Structures are given as structure tokens and as C-alpha cells.
Amino acid sequence: QQQVKQSPQSLIVQKGGISIINCAYENTAFDYFPWYQQFPGKGPALLIAIRPDVSEKKEGRFTISFNKSAKQFSLHIMDSQPGDSATYFCAASMWTNAGKSTFGDGTTLTVKP
Amino acid sequence: SAVISQKPSRDICQRGTSLTIQCQVDSQVTMMFWYRQQPGQSLTLIATANQGSEATYESGFVIDKFPISRPNLTFSTLTVSNMSPEDSSIYLCSVGRDTEAFFGQGTRLTVV
């Protein structure tokens, strides 16, 4: 049973456009929701994260929107750039144990110049 | 932050053999985590390694296949035993610090 579902599997966006990736979780015990960015040959790196006590968190061009009642959260990348082309994973974990995470299947983002 | 070094970065192994992957962290951590990332797929947690106790394995992973050592607070090893082509994956070491998880660059394993 997959506990974190991510969509779409792949996404192509023009430079300057908005990239949106969605995730849904099942386990209501999760209270920490990070997004990771992974480039080929590298391990995932934390991009931005949110806790369920807020509905939105913004860091630069990256925004997480969180809907606790729907058990859904999404990543928005504004003004997408070719350098943003990577695989993005949503994840869910306990706030006190972020190292033990359940990951979504990943979204491969391609930003065309 | 945490800096994690994994060795080897990649290897090609014969089926039936074993490979031990090393993970070194730049500072002490209580728990270390081992993940598997199959080609084009997501990360799946294999086990949690605590210093001074046996590793805790997730469903579908067993100690005989993936023995783990954790001799101190900065080092861990994962062995992939009796390998088959289905074990071809990227194996990642991870640690948690505060509310952030840090990953090594991974070990790309190909079993032929």
C-alpha cells in the first residue's frame, strides 16, 4: 500500500512558466512534508518543507500549499528555469524523525528554454 | 547540515557475490538510514541503523539479504548479499539532523 502518491510522473514546462506537482498522503500520523530535488548521479537534497499547522510556505520561487483536510500538498515552482530540470520527490515523515521518510514516486521536470 | 560520504560510488558485480557499501558522516548521529532507489523509481527505506543495537528492517527487507553494521555514531555499512540482477539499484545512506534529512550521493550497483 503506497502511502504517498505523487503526480504527474513527468512534466514539461516552458521557461518562465509555473510547474505544479501534487502529492497525497494517507497516514494522518505524518506531520512533516518535505520536497526533495534530485539531479542525475546525486542524492536527493531538501528543497522546502512544511508542517501541517500552516497552509502555505514560500521560499523564493518555491511554494508548498498544504490542505490538511484533503491530505494533499503541492509544490509550485514559479518562473521555472532550465536549471530547475530535475526529479522532484515529495515525502512524508514524523517531525521528530525526518530521516525516516516515505517518498512519492517522483516527478521528472523538464524546463524548456 | 551533514556531509555524507559513500563508498563505492558505483560497482558492477557478478551474481551470487556480495558487496559492502560504506557510509561516513561528518558528525555524530543517532540514527542512520539506508534506502534503495531502483532505476527510475522512488526511494524505499531498507532499514534504520542505530549504534549499539540491531538494525530495524522495513517490510520486504531481511537481515540475511541486507546485513547492516553500525560500529559507531559516524559510520555504517550495508551489505547486499548473494546478489541477483534484481538488486541492481542505487543504494543511499541518509541521516536526519533537526528536521532535515541528508543523503549521500549514492552507490550505483549493477549486478550482471
Side-chain angles (χ1 to χ4, degrees), chain A residues 4-7 21-25 35 71-74 90 104:
Chain A
V4 179
K5 295 183 179 180
Q6 183 173 346
S7 63
I21 306 171
N22 301 298
C23 280
Y25 65 98
W35 285 90
K71 295 189 287 186
Q72 295 175 348
F73 58 109
S74 60
C90 63

Side-chain angles (χ1 to χ4, degrees), chain A residues 32 36 38 95 99 101 103-104, chain B residues 33 35 37 42 99-101 103-104:
Chain A
Y32 180 68
Y36 291 91
Q38 185 178 32
W95 164 258
S101 296
F103 285 81
Chain B
F33 305 89
Y35 286 85
Q37 186 175 21
S42 186
T99 59
E100 184 170 349
F103 289 85

Side-chain angles (χ1 to χ4, degrees), chain B residues 4-104:
Chain B
I4 301 172
S5 300
Q6 273 186 245
K7 292 181 181 179
S9 58
R10 59 176 63 230
D11 207 342
I12 301 174
C13 300
Q14 295 291 322
R15 68 177 66 200
T17 63
S18 298
L19 175 71
T20 295
I21 302 167
Q22 300 180 5
C23 178
Q24 179 76 51
V25 188
D26 65 340
S27 56
Q28 295 182 346
V29 291
T30 303
M31 288 186 284
M32 297 176 73
F33 305 89
W34 288 98
Y35 286 85
R36 181 174 73 183
Q37 186 175 21
Q38 294 178 303
Q41 297 190 27
S42 186
L43 288 79
T44 301
L45 182 64
I46 297 172
T48 302
N50 291 305
Q51 194 267 335
S53 63
E54 282 201 1
T56 302
Y57 290 84
E58 298 299 309
S59 176
F61 298 96
V62 295
I63 187 172
D64 290 345
K65 177 67 176 177
F66 298 101
I68 288 172
S69 77
R70 183 78 198 276
N72 58 53
L73 291 174
T74 63
F75 187 80
S76 178
T77 67
L78 170 76
T79 299
V80 186
S81 303
N82 188 26
M83 290 184 285
S84 66
E86 291 71 33
D87 294 319
S88 297
S89 290
I90 299 172
Y91 292 85
L92 293 149
C93 173
S94 174
V95 303
R97 175 148 302 142
D98 297 327
T99 59
E100 184 170 349
F102 299 89
F103 289 85

Side-chain angles (χ1 to χ4, degrees), chain A residues 14-33:
Chain A
Q14 292 293 325
K15 179 182 176 182
I18 302 173
S19 304
I20 302 174
I21 306 171
N22 301 298
C23 280
Y25 65 98
E26 298 172 3
N27 187 346
T28 56
F30 291 141
D31 61 359
Y32 180 68
F33 303 91

Side-chain angles (χ1 to χ4, degrees), chain A residues 61-109:
Chain A
R61 296 186 294 111
F62 302 93
T63 300
I64 300 178
S65 297
F66 186 84
N67 185 329
K68 186 175 181 179
S69 61
K71 295 189 287 186
Q72 295 175 348
F73 58 109
S74 60
L75 174 69
H76 296 235
I77 305 175
M78 311 299 288
D79 187 26
S80 298
Q81 299 296 312
D84 296 331
S85 298
T87 300
Y88 292 81
F89 293 96
C90 63
S93 70
M94 304 297 187
W95 164 258
T96 54
N97 194 4
K100 184 177 179 180
S101 296
T102 299
F103 285 81
D105 283 342
T107 296
T108 301
L109 172 65

